[in-house]
Amino acid sequence: MAEKTTRPASTRLTALDGLRGLAAVIVVFHHALYTNPDFPGAPGGGNAPAGSAMWWISYTPLKFATAGVESVIVFFVLSGLVVTLPVVRHRGFDWVAYFPRRVVRLMVPVTASVLLAAAWVAAIPQVSTQPKGTWLSNSSTPNFSWEYIVKAIDLLGGDGQINNPLWSLRWELLFSLALPVFAVAAIAVRKWWIGGLALACALTWLGARAGSAELEYLPAFFVGAVIAVRLDAVRNVADRINARWFRHPLWAALTVGSGLLMIAPWLVGPGITQLPELEHALKGLVPLAAAGLVVAVLGWKPLRAVFESRPFQFAGTISFSLYLVHVPILIFSTYLFASEPWYVALLFGIPLAVLVSVAFTWLIEKRSHLWSKAVGTWASERYRAWFGREDAPAEAAPAPATRELESAKRG
């Protein structure tokens, strides 16, 4: 890709908000179907007869609608891109302000979601009627106590029993704290970006094969960081493609191919469990597939218009909140309608999760933005006052390209 770009740096990335919103909705569907132990991939079960509805949902391209784990990888790539971009765009990036700002930005919504989850858990007894080992049984908390709140808030060493999506926030926090390392590494492979992406896929494969969560998930953030460093070049190439007659077939191939690559282990079928090496290799390619989707959303004008539409932008606005609040609500709904068919609880729980996430966005998440900025400004001012650094840069303003993304989900 050419280093030179003809596009101004102020182009906004609002379409990525829509992509994040879609990913959050997919995660909700993923957990919703997990309440049924017959859903393939669900812990403790998941045996769907060939040709059944569950089989079609799981082993055909329809799987994309419930590819929850893969959608989390999309979150990670987006976070790597969005959080790294201001660093590479600002010469005087204020690291003193960044760290407290980022921690507050993540931990305020997380803490609020844990307290809300505790309320849902305490609202109704969670004694599972499903066999031990199923997702619902594992995610239920029949003997709730205040210790679960403390362990859930502790992202680095705790236990997200009462709100299990918090497992991914651990990696978000670790990436945020290690951002200087990721940024330097991404800049170092600027000219050898293909090798950098290949290394990320290799580490993901190694993590999946060895059972190392650090290696399996953190490389996805690096993939996003590489896109951030190469963003102008990506846009330049997209502009060249969009000037050619074959632009639509090429972008469509990238979009469909990336989507299918994300769910490739499922397309192999139930027999993938008998081919562990193939399964691990395909999992190693998921960050690359997520990157392909990100590039397609940024570069293909019709697709970008779809993700910039109001429904997708709305989903993007509430995506972080929806991700944080939906599982305790789904579990609560399952017990509330325990005597009804399993899907009845979802007809109640999913709309309720959306309503709660809207309120959570306005009451908690948007305020966390204001508080994080205030904390960052205070830390930067204290640093200059204590160390006499009057010439030090003030807190760096968000890059114009990312200003629209600040309100969207980071994990």
Side-chain angles (χ1 to χ4, degrees):
M1 292 185 182
E3 291 294 328
K4 184 179 179 181
T5 179
T6 59
R7 183 188 294 268
S10 61
T11 302
R12 303 164 81 91
L13 303 178
T14 54
L16 297 188
D17 283 331
L19 178 59
R20 185 179 282 108
L22 175 62
V25 171
I26 291 173
V27 171
V28 172
F29 290 158
H30 167 80
H31 286 129
L33 287 178
Y34 261 17
T35 61
N36 186 333
D38 293 330
F39 181 56
N47 296 319
S52 65
M54 286 293 182
W55 183 90
W56 279 100
I57 291 173
S58 302
Y59 300 116
T60 71
L62 294 176
K63 175 62 185 178
F64 190 82
T66 60
V69 176
E70 294 80 5
S71 292
V72 172
I73 302 302
V74 174
F75 290 150
F76 291 167
V77 172
L78 288 173
S79 289
L81 166 58
V82 172
V83 179
T84 305
L85 195 55
V87 178
V88 299
R89 285 282 169 87
H90 290 283
R91 291 182 181 274
F93 185 77
D94 191 346
W95 289 104
V96 174
Y98 162 76
F99 287 106
R101 188 179 68 227
R102 184 65 176 159
V103 170
V104 171
R105 171 69 186 90
L106 290 174
M107 293 307 302
V108 168
V110 164
T111 302
S113 74
V114 169
L115 297 176
L116 185 59
W120 292 115
V121 171
I124 191 169
Q126 294 192 347
V127 180
S128 177
T129 58
Q130 293 185 5
K132 185 177 181 180
T134 64
W135 181 82
L136 183 62
S137 295
N138 291 344
S139 302
S140 299
T141 311
N143 300 310
F144 174 71
S145 65
W146 65 268
E147 288 93 341
Y148 284 102
I149 297 176
V150 177
K151 289 189 290 186
I153 294 174
D154 179 10
L155 293 182
L156 295 181
D159 177 3
Q161 171 65 32
I162 61 175
N163 193 9
N164 62 35
L166 294 180
W167 71 267
S168 69
L169 271 297
R170 178 190 183 210
W171 306 115
E172 290 278 353
L173 182 58
L174 286 174
F175 159 69
S176 298
L177 297 177
L179 178 61
V181 176
F182 281 83
V184 169
I187 293 172
V189 301
R190 182 186 185 96
K191 295 183 179 179
W192 302 278
W193 57 273
I194 294 178
L197 296 182
L199 177 61
C201 290
L203 291 175
T204 303
W205 161 78
L206 184 61
R209 191 176 189 278
S212 170
E214 290 82 1
L215 290 180
E216 186 171 359
Y217 298 122
L218 288 177
F221 294 99
F222 176 70
V223 170
V226 171
I227 298 176
V229 170
R230 300 285 307 178
L231 184 59
D232 289 340
V234 169
R235 286 168 164 168
N236 193 30
V237 171
D239 285 342
R240 293 181 180 180
I241 293 174
N242 288 331
R244 304 298 181 89
W245 66 266
F246 54 79
R247 59 190 180 279
H248 294 311
L250 182 60
W251 285 120
L254 176 62
T255 304
V256 174
S258 297
L260 294 178
L261 184 60
M262 281 187 62
I263 59 172
W266 295 98
L267 299 181
V268 174
I272 190 69
T273 57
Q274 307 300 319
L275 303 168
E277 292 300 331
L278 175 61
E279 183 177 17
H280 298 149
L282 293 176
K283 286 183 177 180
L285 296 174
V286 172
L288 185 63
L293 289 178
V294 170
V295 171
V297 169
L298 290 175
W300 192 14
K301 293 181 180 179
L303 186 63
R304 186 167 70 237
V306 169
F307 282 100
E308 289 177 343
S309 64
R310 288 187 177 182
F312 283 92
Q313 288 297 297
F314 169 75
T317 299
I318 67 170
S319 57
F320 191 20
S321 297
L322 181 61
Y323 185 82
L324 289 176
V325 307
H326 76 279
V327 164
I329 293 175
L330 291 177
I331 295 175
F332 167 82
S333 302
T334 300
Y335 286 110
L336 184 64
F337 295 94
S339 61
E340 302 293 334
W342 69 275
Y343 56 84
V344 173
L346 306 184
L347 297 176
F348 174 82
I350 293 177
L352 179 60
V354 173
L355 291 175
V356 172
S357 66
V358 170
F360 194 93
T361 299
W362 287 100
L363 295 175
I364 303 298
E365 187 181 351
K366 288 188 178 295
R367 284 166 174 75
S368 75
H369 281 289
L370 299 176
W371 297 335
S372 67
K373 291 176 181 177
V375 168
T377 300
W378 176 86
S380 186
E381 291 175 348
R382 290 300 91 199
Y383 175 77
R384 293 198 301 272
W386 291 341
F387 294 96
R389 294 292 306 278
E390 296 299 332
D391 59 330
E395 180 183 358
T402 62
R403 194 171 289 140
E404 190 73 12
L405 287 169
E406 276 203 329
S407 63
K409 182 193 175 302
R410 292 284 205 298

